[in-house]
Short mmCIF file of all heavy atoms in Angstrom, two decimals:
data_model
loop_
_atom_site.label_atom_id
_atom_site.label_comp_id
_atom_site.label_asym_id
_atom_site.label_seq_id
_atom_site.Cartn_x
_atom_site.Cartn_y
_atom_site.Cartn_z
N TYR A 1 86.44 4.78 -1.40
CA TYR A 1 86.29 4.74 -2.85
C TYR A 1 84.78 4.82 -3.09
O TYR A 1 84.01 4.24 -2.33
CB TYR A 1 86.85 3.41 -3.36
CG TYR A 1 86.44 3.02 -4.74
CD1 TYR A 1 87.10 3.53 -5.85
CD2 TYR A 1 85.41 2.11 -4.95
CE1 TYR A 1 86.73 3.16 -7.12
CE2 TYR A 1 85.04 1.74 -6.22
CZ TYR A 1 85.71 2.27 -7.31
OH TYR A 1 85.35 1.91 -8.57
N TRP A 2 84.37 5.53 -4.11
CA TRP A 2 82.94 5.65 -4.37
C TRP A 2 82.64 5.30 -5.80
O TRP A 2 83.36 5.69 -6.72
CB TRP A 2 82.49 7.08 -4.07
CG TRP A 2 81.03 7.29 -4.26
CD1 TRP A 2 80.04 7.01 -3.38
CD2 TRP A 2 80.38 7.82 -5.41
NE1 TRP A 2 78.82 7.33 -3.91
CE2 TRP A 2 79.01 7.84 -5.17
CE3 TRP A 2 80.85 8.29 -6.64
CZ2 TRP A 2 78.09 8.29 -6.09
CZ3 TRP A 2 79.93 8.75 -7.57
CH2 TRP A 2 78.56 8.74 -7.28
N LYS A 3 81.57 4.52 -6.00
CA LYS A 3 81.16 4.16 -7.35
C LYS A 3 79.65 4.07 -7.42
O LYS A 3 79.01 3.47 -6.58
CB LYS A 3 81.77 2.83 -7.77
CG LYS A 3 81.40 2.47 -9.19
CD LYS A 3 82.17 1.30 -9.71
CE LYS A 3 81.68 1.04 -11.11
NZ LYS A 3 82.59 0.37 -11.94
N ASN A 4 79.11 4.67 -8.44
CA ASN A 4 77.70 4.57 -8.80
C ASN A 4 77.71 4.27 -10.29
O ASN A 4 78.21 3.23 -10.68
CB ASN A 4 76.96 5.85 -8.43
CG ASN A 4 75.46 5.66 -8.33
OD1 ASN A 4 74.98 4.54 -8.34
ND2 ASN A 4 74.73 6.74 -8.27
N LYS A 5 77.25 5.19 -11.10
CA LYS A 5 77.41 5.02 -12.55
C LYS A 5 78.86 5.28 -12.93
O LYS A 5 79.44 4.59 -13.75
CB LYS A 5 76.47 5.98 -13.29
CG LYS A 5 76.52 5.84 -14.78
CD LYS A 5 75.49 6.75 -15.46
CE LYS A 5 75.57 6.57 -16.97
NZ LYS A 5 74.68 7.50 -17.65
N TYR A 6 79.46 6.33 -12.32
CA TYR A 6 80.88 6.65 -12.49
C TYR A 6 81.57 6.43 -11.16
O TYR A 6 80.93 6.04 -10.19
CB TYR A 6 81.03 8.10 -12.97
CG TYR A 6 80.32 8.36 -14.27
CD1 TYR A 6 79.11 9.04 -14.31
CD2 TYR A 6 80.85 7.91 -15.48
CE1 TYR A 6 78.46 9.28 -15.50
CE2 TYR A 6 80.20 8.14 -16.68
CZ TYR A 6 79.01 8.83 -16.69
OH TYR A 6 78.35 9.05 -17.87
N GLU A 7 82.86 6.70 -11.09
CA GLU A 7 83.59 6.45 -9.85
C GLU A 7 84.42 7.66 -9.44
O GLU A 7 84.73 8.54 -10.24
CB GLU A 7 84.51 5.25 -10.00
CG GLU A 7 85.66 5.48 -10.96
CD GLU A 7 86.60 4.30 -11.04
OE1 GLU A 7 86.13 3.16 -10.99
OE2 GLU A 7 87.81 4.55 -11.16
N VAL A 8 84.78 7.68 -8.16
CA VAL A 8 85.72 8.63 -7.60
C VAL A 8 86.79 7.80 -6.90
O VAL A 8 86.48 6.92 -6.10
CB VAL A 8 85.03 9.59 -6.60
CG1 VAL A 8 86.06 10.45 -5.90
CG2 VAL A 8 84.00 10.45 -7.31
N ASP A 9 88.05 8.09 -7.21
CA ASP A 9 89.15 7.27 -6.68
C ASP A 9 89.23 7.30 -5.16
O ASP A 9 89.38 6.26 -4.52
CB ASP A 9 90.49 7.73 -7.28
CG ASP A 9 90.58 7.43 -8.76
OD1 ASP A 9 90.00 6.43 -9.21
OD2 ASP A 9 91.24 8.21 -9.48
N PHE A 10 89.14 8.49 -4.57
CA PHE A 10 89.23 8.61 -3.11
C PHE A 10 88.23 9.65 -2.62
O PHE A 10 88.04 10.68 -3.27
CB PHE A 10 90.63 9.05 -2.66
CG PHE A 10 91.71 8.12 -3.11
CD1 PHE A 10 92.53 8.45 -4.17
CD2 PHE A 10 91.90 6.91 -2.48
CE1 PHE A 10 93.52 7.60 -4.60
CE2 PHE A 10 92.89 6.04 -2.90
CZ PHE A 10 93.70 6.39 -3.96
N VAL A 11 87.65 9.38 -1.48
CA VAL A 11 86.82 10.37 -0.80
C VAL A 11 87.48 10.58 0.55
O VAL A 11 87.52 9.69 1.39
CB VAL A 11 85.36 9.89 -0.62
CG1 VAL A 11 84.57 10.92 0.16
CG2 VAL A 11 84.73 9.62 -1.97
N PHE A 12 88.03 11.78 0.73
CA PHE A 12 88.71 12.12 1.97
C PHE A 12 87.67 12.70 2.91
O PHE A 12 87.03 13.71 2.61
CB PHE A 12 89.81 13.15 1.70
CG PHE A 12 90.67 13.44 2.88
CD1 PHE A 12 91.68 12.58 3.24
CD2 PHE A 12 90.45 14.56 3.64
CE1 PHE A 12 92.48 12.84 4.34
CE2 PHE A 12 91.23 14.84 4.75
CZ PHE A 12 92.26 13.97 5.09
N ASP A 13 87.48 12.04 4.05
CA ASP A 13 86.47 12.44 5.02
C ASP A 13 87.18 13.11 6.20
O ASP A 13 87.49 12.49 7.20
CB ASP A 13 85.68 11.22 5.48
CG ASP A 13 84.48 11.58 6.33
OD1 ASP A 13 84.22 12.78 6.50
OD2 ASP A 13 83.81 10.66 6.82
N GLY A 14 87.47 14.40 6.03
CA GLY A 14 88.09 15.18 7.10
C GLY A 14 87.01 16.01 7.76
O GLY A 14 86.03 15.49 8.25
N LYS A 15 87.16 17.31 7.71
CA LYS A 15 86.14 18.20 8.25
C LYS A 15 84.90 18.20 7.36
O LYS A 15 83.80 18.45 7.81
CB LYS A 15 86.69 19.61 8.39
CG LYS A 15 87.79 19.70 9.41
CD LYS A 15 88.37 21.08 9.50
CE LYS A 15 89.52 21.07 10.50
NZ LYS A 15 90.22 22.33 10.55
N GLU A 16 85.10 17.95 6.08
CA GLU A 16 84.01 17.79 5.12
C GLU A 16 84.45 16.78 4.07
O GLU A 16 85.63 16.48 3.96
CB GLU A 16 83.64 19.12 4.47
CG GLU A 16 84.79 19.79 3.72
CD GLU A 16 84.41 21.15 3.21
OE1 GLU A 16 83.95 21.97 3.99
OE2 GLU A 16 84.59 21.38 2.01
N LEU A 17 83.51 16.22 3.33
CA LEU A 17 83.86 15.26 2.29
C LEU A 17 84.58 15.97 1.15
O LEU A 17 84.16 17.05 0.71
CB LEU A 17 82.61 14.58 1.74
CG LEU A 17 81.87 13.65 2.68
CD1 LEU A 17 80.63 13.09 1.97
CD2 LEU A 17 82.76 12.52 3.14
N LEU A 18 85.65 15.36 0.65
CA LEU A 18 86.42 15.92 -0.45
C LEU A 18 86.72 14.81 -1.45
O LEU A 18 87.51 13.91 -1.16
CB LEU A 18 87.72 16.54 0.05
CG LEU A 18 88.63 17.12 -1.02
CD1 LEU A 18 87.98 18.34 -1.67
CD2 LEU A 18 89.97 17.47 -0.44
N PRO A 19 86.08 14.83 -2.63
CA PRO A 19 86.40 13.83 -3.64
C PRO A 19 87.73 14.15 -4.30
O PRO A 19 88.01 15.30 -4.64
CB PRO A 19 85.24 13.94 -4.63
CG PRO A 19 84.69 15.31 -4.45
CD PRO A 19 84.98 15.71 -3.04
N VAL A 20 88.57 13.11 -4.46
CA VAL A 20 89.88 13.25 -5.09
C VAL A 20 89.96 12.22 -6.21
O VAL A 20 89.82 11.02 -5.97
CB VAL A 20 91.02 13.01 -4.06
CG1 VAL A 20 92.37 13.12 -4.74
CG2 VAL A 20 90.91 13.97 -2.89
N GLU A 21 90.20 12.70 -7.41
CA GLU A 21 90.28 11.84 -8.59
C GLU A 21 91.69 11.94 -9.17
O GLU A 21 92.28 13.02 -9.22
CB GLU A 21 89.24 12.30 -9.63
CG GLU A 21 89.15 11.47 -10.85
CD GLU A 21 88.54 10.10 -10.60
OE1 GLU A 21 87.80 9.92 -9.62
OE2 GLU A 21 88.80 9.20 -11.41
N ILE A 22 92.24 10.80 -9.60
CA ILE A 22 93.56 10.77 -10.20
C ILE A 22 93.39 10.66 -11.71
O ILE A 22 92.79 9.69 -12.20
CB ILE A 22 94.40 9.55 -9.71
CG1 ILE A 22 94.31 9.37 -8.21
CG2 ILE A 22 95.83 9.66 -10.19
CD1 ILE A 22 94.67 10.52 -7.36
N LYS A 23 93.92 11.63 -12.43
CA LYS A 23 93.88 11.65 -13.90
C LYS A 23 95.28 11.99 -14.39
O LYS A 23 95.55 13.06 -14.89
CB LYS A 23 92.88 12.70 -14.42
CG LYS A 23 91.46 12.47 -14.00
CD LYS A 23 90.88 11.30 -14.73
CE LYS A 23 89.40 11.17 -14.41
NZ LYS A 23 88.82 9.98 -14.93
N TYR A 24 96.20 11.06 -14.23
CA TYR A 24 97.61 11.30 -14.57
C TYR A 24 97.82 10.99 -16.05
O TYR A 24 98.31 9.94 -16.43
CB TYR A 24 98.51 10.44 -13.69
CG TYR A 24 99.95 10.88 -13.69
CD1 TYR A 24 100.34 11.97 -12.94
CD2 TYR A 24 100.89 10.22 -14.45
CE1 TYR A 24 101.65 12.39 -12.94
CE2 TYR A 24 102.21 10.63 -14.45
CZ TYR A 24 102.58 11.72 -13.70
OH TYR A 24 103.89 12.15 -13.70
N ARG A 25 97.39 11.95 -16.87
CA ARG A 25 97.53 11.81 -18.33
C ARG A 25 97.49 13.21 -18.95
O ARG A 25 97.31 14.20 -18.27
CB ARG A 25 96.45 10.92 -18.89
CG ARG A 25 95.04 11.38 -18.60
CD ARG A 25 94.03 10.43 -19.24
NE ARG A 25 92.70 10.76 -18.83
CZ ARG A 25 91.91 9.95 -18.15
NH1 ARG A 25 92.32 8.77 -17.80
NH2 ARG A 25 90.70 10.33 -17.83
N GLU A 26 97.62 13.26 -20.26
CA GLU A 26 97.69 14.54 -20.96
C GLU A 26 96.38 15.32 -20.90
O GLU A 26 96.38 16.54 -20.82
CB GLU A 26 98.10 14.32 -22.43
CG GLU A 26 99.49 13.74 -22.59
CD GLU A 26 100.58 14.62 -21.99
OE1 GLU A 26 100.49 15.85 -22.11
OE2 GLU A 26 101.52 14.05 -21.40
N ASN A 27 95.24 14.66 -20.99
CA ASN A 27 93.95 15.35 -21.00
C ASN A 27 93.10 14.87 -19.82
O ASN A 27 92.34 13.91 -19.95
CB ASN A 27 93.22 15.10 -22.33
CG ASN A 27 91.96 15.92 -22.44
OD1 ASN A 27 91.69 16.81 -21.63
ND2 ASN A 27 91.15 15.62 -23.43
N PRO A 28 93.19 15.55 -18.68
CA PRO A 28 92.48 15.09 -17.47
C PRO A 28 91.09 15.69 -17.30
O PRO A 28 90.64 15.91 -16.21
CB PRO A 28 93.41 15.58 -16.36
CG PRO A 28 93.96 16.85 -16.90
CD PRO A 28 94.10 16.63 -18.39
N ARG A 29 90.38 15.95 -18.37
CA ARG A 29 89.11 16.69 -18.29
C ARG A 29 87.89 15.82 -18.02
O ARG A 29 86.81 16.35 -17.80
CB ARG A 29 88.88 17.46 -19.59
CG ARG A 29 89.96 18.45 -19.90
CD ARG A 29 89.88 19.61 -18.98
NE ARG A 29 90.89 20.59 -19.35
CZ ARG A 29 91.14 21.66 -18.68
NH1 ARG A 29 90.47 21.93 -17.60
NH2 ARG A 29 92.07 22.50 -19.05
N ASP A 30 88.02 14.51 -18.03
CA ASP A 30 86.87 13.63 -17.77
C ASP A 30 86.62 13.56 -16.27
O ASP A 30 87.29 12.83 -15.55
CB ASP A 30 87.13 12.24 -18.35
CG ASP A 30 86.00 11.29 -18.07
OD1 ASP A 30 84.87 11.74 -17.86
OD2 ASP A 30 86.25 10.06 -18.07
N VAL A 31 85.65 14.33 -15.80
CA VAL A 31 85.38 14.42 -14.37
C VAL A 31 83.93 14.05 -14.05
O VAL A 31 83.34 14.57 -13.12
CB VAL A 31 85.72 15.83 -13.82
CG1 VAL A 31 87.21 16.07 -13.83
CG2 VAL A 31 84.99 16.90 -14.60
N LYS A 32 83.38 13.13 -14.81
CA LYS A 32 81.98 12.72 -14.62
C LYS A 32 81.74 12.15 -13.23
O LYS A 32 80.69 12.39 -12.63
CB LYS A 32 81.59 11.70 -15.68
CG LYS A 32 81.58 12.27 -17.08
CD LYS A 32 81.31 11.17 -18.09
CE LYS A 32 81.50 11.70 -19.50
NZ LYS A 32 81.57 10.63 -20.48
N GLY A 33 82.70 11.39 -12.71
CA GLY A 33 82.55 10.81 -11.37
C GLY A 33 82.47 11.87 -10.30
O GLY A 33 81.66 11.78 -9.37
N ILE A 34 83.31 12.87 -10.40
CA ILE A 34 83.32 13.97 -9.42
C ILE A 34 82.00 14.73 -9.47
O ILE A 34 81.42 15.05 -8.43
CB ILE A 34 84.50 14.93 -9.71
CG1 ILE A 34 85.79 14.20 -9.40
CG2 ILE A 34 84.34 16.25 -9.01
CD1 ILE A 34 86.78 14.88 -8.56
N ILE A 35 81.50 14.99 -10.67
CA ILE A 35 80.23 15.71 -10.82
C ILE A 35 79.09 14.89 -10.21
O ILE A 35 78.28 15.41 -9.45
CB ILE A 35 79.94 16.03 -12.30
CG1 ILE A 35 81.05 16.89 -12.90
CG2 ILE A 35 78.58 16.68 -12.46
CD1 ILE A 35 81.24 18.24 -12.27
N GLU A 36 79.05 13.60 -10.53
CA GLU A 36 77.98 12.73 -10.00
C GLU A 36 78.04 12.66 -8.47
O GLU A 36 77.02 12.79 -7.79
CB GLU A 36 78.09 11.34 -10.61
CG GLU A 36 77.00 10.41 -10.16
CD GLU A 36 77.16 8.99 -10.70
OE1 GLU A 36 78.31 8.59 -11.01
OE2 GLU A 36 76.15 8.30 -10.80
N PHE A 37 79.23 12.43 -7.93
CA PHE A 37 79.40 12.37 -6.47
C PHE A 37 78.97 13.68 -5.82
O PHE A 37 78.25 13.69 -4.82
CB PHE A 37 80.86 12.06 -6.13
CG PHE A 37 81.14 12.05 -4.66
CD1 PHE A 37 80.93 10.90 -3.92
CD2 PHE A 37 81.59 13.19 -4.00
CE1 PHE A 37 81.18 10.88 -2.55
CE2 PHE A 37 81.83 13.19 -2.65
CZ PHE A 37 81.63 12.04 -1.91
N SER A 38 79.42 14.78 -6.39
CA SER A 38 79.12 16.10 -5.82
C SER A 38 77.63 16.39 -5.81
O SER A 38 77.12 16.96 -4.85
CB SER A 38 79.87 17.18 -6.60
OG SER A 38 81.27 16.98 -6.48
N LYS A 39 76.93 16.00 -6.85
CA LYS A 39 75.48 16.20 -6.88
C LYS A 39 74.77 15.31 -5.86
O LYS A 39 73.83 15.73 -5.20
CB LYS A 39 74.95 15.95 -8.28
CG LYS A 39 75.32 17.07 -9.23
CD LYS A 39 74.70 16.87 -10.57
CE LYS A 39 75.10 18.05 -11.44
NZ LYS A 39 74.21 18.32 -12.50
N ASN A 40 75.23 14.07 -5.71
CA ASN A 40 74.60 13.15 -4.75
C ASN A 40 74.80 13.58 -3.30
O ASN A 40 73.95 13.30 -2.46
CB ASN A 40 75.14 11.73 -4.94
CG ASN A 40 74.56 11.04 -6.14
OD1 ASN A 40 73.55 11.45 -6.69
ND2 ASN A 40 75.22 9.99 -6.60
N PHE A 41 75.93 14.21 -2.99
CA PHE A 41 76.25 14.55 -1.61
C PHE A 41 76.34 16.06 -1.36
O PHE A 41 76.85 16.48 -0.32
CB PHE A 41 77.56 13.88 -1.19
CG PHE A 41 77.46 12.38 -1.18
CD1 PHE A 41 77.90 11.64 -2.26
CD2 PHE A 41 76.89 11.72 -0.11
CE1 PHE A 41 77.80 10.26 -2.26
CE2 PHE A 41 76.78 10.34 -0.10
CZ PHE A 41 77.24 9.61 -1.19
#
């Protein structure tokens, strides 16, 4: 699990890091955590 200012639900560490976010709702467009994580790593 990763958290800084925003969060990412799961970080799958296989051959490369893969952030996985769960947005089980009608409008899943809030991806600030994924963007922040992706920029940091």
Side-chain angles (χ1 to χ4, degrees):
Y1 164 83
W2 182 83
K3 182 170 179 156
N4 199 12
K5 183 176 180 185
Y6 302 103
E7 68 177 38
V8 172
D9 293 328
F10 302 103
V11 177
F12 187 80
D13 189 4
K15 294 178 183 174
E16 59 185 53
L17 292 179
L18 178 67
V20 179
E21 184 70 23
I22 315 305
K23 299 288 186 188
Y24 196 78
R25 58 178 172 242
E26 296 301 321
N27 186 10
R29 301 288 183 185
D30 178 24
V31 291
K32 294 175 188 166
I34 292 229
I35 301 298
E36 183 184 25
F37 177 86
S38 297
K39 287 185 179 205
N40 284 343
F41 295 98

